[in-house]
Amino acid sequence: MEIEEKLLDAVAPCSMFCSTCTGCKYGDISLHAKELLRLLEGHEEFLAENLKEQYRDRLEEFRIFQKRLKKFATPKCGGCRNGGEAGCSIKGCIIPECVKEHDVNYCGECSEFPCERVEKSGFKETTIQKWLDGSNKIKDAGIEKYYQENKDIPHYINYKNK
C-alpha cells in the first residue's frame, strides 16, 4: 500500500512525473529548494556584513536568487489526483476525471487507451506525445517498472535537447 501511494503521488494519471515538476508542492524540486533555503539561512546577513565594497553587487544577486528559490520552495499544485484549487496545474485537463470514470489510476491501464480524447485534448503535440509514450510504457511494463526507469529523469530535459 505504501509504494502504491508513493507512485500515485509521483506519477500523474497521464504518466508525467509530478515529483519532478516545478509546480508540485510535494515534489523533489520543492523539497530541495526548501533544503537549500535552510542551509543558506543567515547567508544574506553574512554577505551584508562581510562583502567588500567592490563586491556589494553580489548581495543583490543573492537576494534575487533567494527570492526565486522561495518560489520554487512554495509551489501551489497538489497534484491532479487531489482536485480543487490545489489540483492539476494544467487548467481544464480532462485526464483526472477520465481515469476516475474508467476506474484506473493511469491512462495506460485503461482498456480504451489510446482513445480519441488524447487527440481532442487541446494539448500541444509534444505534450500529447509525452502522454502517449509514457502511457504506452505503463501499459507494456507496468507502473512500478515505469517509475523505476524514469524517476530520476529531469522533468524538462526534452526542452533542452530541442
Side-chain angles (χ1 to χ4, degrees):
M1 181 68 169
E2 185 179 312
I3 188 71
E4 186 174 322
E5 281 298 316
K6 180 179 181 176
L7 293 175
L8 290 172
D9 282 344
V11 184
C14 62
S15 78
M16 301 207 195
F17 274 71
C18 297
S19 60
T20 58
C21 178
T22 58
C24 183
K25 65 182 176 182
Y26 57 82
D28 294 341
I29 293 170
S30 174
L31 295 174
H32 290 297
K34 287 174 185 169
E35 179 62 7
L36 272 173
L37 286 169
R38 185 189 71 75
L39 292 170
L40 289 168
E41 193 171 328
H43 190 65
E44 180 180 1
E45 294 81 1
F46 168 80
L47 292 175
E49 191 175 309
N50 293 293
L51 280 177
K52 293 181 180 178
E53 193 58 42
Q54 69 260 34
Y55 302 114
R56 295 303 285 176
D57 60 323
R58 292 184 184 165
L59 176 58
E60 186 55 30
E61 288 174 6
F62 178 77
R63 287 178 176 148
I64 292 168
F65 168 73
Q66 187 176 39
K67 182 178 180 181
R68 188 67 190 132
L69 191 57
K70 285 178 182 178
K71 288 203 179 279
F72 280 112
T74 57
K76 306 250 185 289
C77 185
C80 58
R81 297 182 195 277
N82 299 321
E85 290 292 318
C88 183
S89 62
I90 301 171
K91 301 297 178 219
C93 182
I94 60 163
I95 300 169
E97 197 58 40
C98 188
V99 293
K100 283 181 190 173
E101 289 172 15
H102 289 88
D103 197 31
V104 294
N105 291 316
Y106 304 96
C107 293
E109 297 174 339
C110 183
S111 62
E112 296 178 27
F113 177 80
C115 67
E116 62 187 38
R117 289 184 180 189
V118 174
E119 296 304 323
K120 293 180 180 179
S121 68
F123 294 136
K124 292 179 183 178
E125 179 92 18
T126 53
T127 303
I128 290 174
Q129 196 57 55
K130 193 171 181 180
W131 175 11
L132 289 170
D133 291 346
S135 294
N136 277 316
K137 288 176 183 174
I138 290 171
K139 185 176 190 169
D140 294 341
I143 186 59
E144 293 86 1
K145 186 171 183 184
Y146 177 73
Y147 172 77
Q148 288 302 323
E149 290 176 353
N150 293 278
K151 65 184 171 89
D152 296 321
I153 296 174
H155 195 84
Y156 307 97
I157 193 72
N158 293 343
Y159 292 94
K160 183 176 181 180
N161 297 331
K162 282 188 174 186

